[in-house]
Amino acid sequence: MHLQNYIPSILLVILVTYTTITTCAVVNPVVEPPMIKEINFEKNLEKNAKRLKLKNHKLAIGEMAMEPPVRKQGEPKYFQEPGVAAAGHYDGRYYIGFVTDEERQRTLTHLVRAWLQWTQSQGIETWLAHGTLLGWWWNNRILPWDTDLDVQVSEATLKSMAENMNMTTWTYNFEEDNFQRDYLLDINPYWTNRLRDPRCDKTRGYFL
Ligand SMILES: *[C@@H]1O[C@H](CO)[C@@H](O)[C@H](O)[C@H]1NC(C)=O
């Protein structure tokens, strides 16, 4: 698998939250609305810390298509957009142009499946957020105009990911749609930074 396979990936944005959480499984498009259940994060964290010692992962660092863009000293901005209008949900490292609406929807549909498959396989708790959650609730679909997906994990999980799983890839294969990709987990080194500075990333990690 070469990194070209990430192109034209659209980003899955991982955000941090502190709220008590709902889990949902979205892989099957005809699932019932989610059960809301309380999760004991402390307990699960211990469990996950062991599991997070990498099952199915290979390092992808050496395969980067190009070096990450240079950041100004002291400026806490890690992810770089392509600098093209309306391309804010593409990653500057892999952007080669806009994809069609159809391709975008297909890409996003598989992206969320891959994310859920991967987190499930690793015993990681995650949940949908924002427009992604609304789309699933209303129609079991990604909102047709959406250009990204929003998911969240707890701060403790994100810490574990940053320490144990950064820059690992996950191979996803959906034969019925002849769709195969390698996905890369890229965690912002400034993920603990909560400043609301426009120069900072609001995003803590990408799955792309
Ligand atoms: C993840 O790996 C990239 C590439 O090596 C690095 O630039 C980044 O700082 C790492 N993130 C964390 C949270 O360590």
Side-chain angles (χ1 to χ4, degrees), residues 100-136:
T100 62
D101 282 354
E102 197 180 61
E103 181 59 23
R104 190 189 71 239
Q105 283 177 33
R106 182 166 173 258
T107 301
L108 288 173
T109 300
H110 287 293
L111 185 53
V112 75
R113 281 172 185 267
W115 171 256
L116 293 169
Q117 198 183 78
W118 174 68
T119 49
Q120 197 172 18
S121 77
Q122 304 299 314
I124 294 171
E125 270 143 6
T126 185
W127 54 96
L128 306 180
H130 312 306
T132 310
L133 180 58
L134 283 176
W136 173 73

Side-chain angles (χ1 to χ4, degrees), residues 36-206:
I36 296 181
K37 73 173 188 193
E38 289 289 325
I39 291 168
N40 181 338
F41 280 115
E42 300 249 320
K43 188 152 159 273
N44 287 340
L45 177 63
E46 281 168 34
K47 211 168 64 191
N48 286 344
K50 285 193 201 117
R51 285 197 187 138
L52 284 173
K53 297 272 187 276
L54 306 197
K55 277 185 200 160
N56 253 322
H57 296 274
K58 35 190 179 51
L59 281 180
I61 298 168
E63 295 179 38
M64 280 279 180
M66 51 196 247
E67 291 297 314
V70 180
R71 209 169 40 235
K72 266 194 233 138
Q73 201 70 32
E75 187 184 344
K77 173 88 180 127
Y78 176 65
F79 295 115
Q80 302 293 329
E81 293 74 32
V84 177
H89 290 137
Y90 289 80
D91 186 305
R93 292 168 293 184
Y94 309 120
Y95 174 84
I96 50 168
F98 285 97
V99 298
T100 62
D101 282 354
E102 197 180 61
E103 181 59 23
R104 190 189 71 239
Q105 283 177 33
R106 182 166 173 258
T107 301
L108 288 173
T109 300
H110 287 293
L111 185 53
V112 75
R113 281 172 185 267
W115 171 256
L116 293 169
Q117 198 183 78
W118 174 68
T119 49
Q120 197 172 18
S121 77
Q122 304 299 314
I124 294 171
E125 270 143 6
T126 185
W127 54 96
L128 306 180
H130 312 306
T132 310
L133 180 58
L134 283 176
W136 173 73
W137 180 259
W138 283 335
N139 202 22
N140 275 319
R141 294 281 182 281
I142 287 155
L143 297 173
W145 52 86
D146 249 357
T147 56
D148 73 341
L149 300 167
D150 297 304
V151 297
Q152 300 182 338
V153 294
S154 71
E155 189 185 25
T157 299
L158 191 57
K159 182 171 190 292
S160 259
M161 283 181 171
E163 287 169 2
N164 301 309
M165 312 181 94
N166 187 34
M167 298 313 260
T168 58
T169 61
W170 172 253
T171 300
Y172 168 87
N173 192 3
F174 194 79
E175 277 167 21
E176 290 118 273
D177 195 19
N178 191 25
F179 191 99
Q180 191 178 16
R181 292 276 195 284
D182 277 1
Y183 291 95
L184 173 72
L185 181 75
D186 190 354
I187 306 291
N188 192 333
Y190 307 110
W191 67 270
T192 53
N193 187 348
R194 293 178 183 283
L195 290 178
R196 284 195 149 265
D197 181 327
R199 289 168 311 164
C200 305
D201 296 290
K202 278 182 255 118
T203 304
R204 312 297 179 208
Y206 279 170

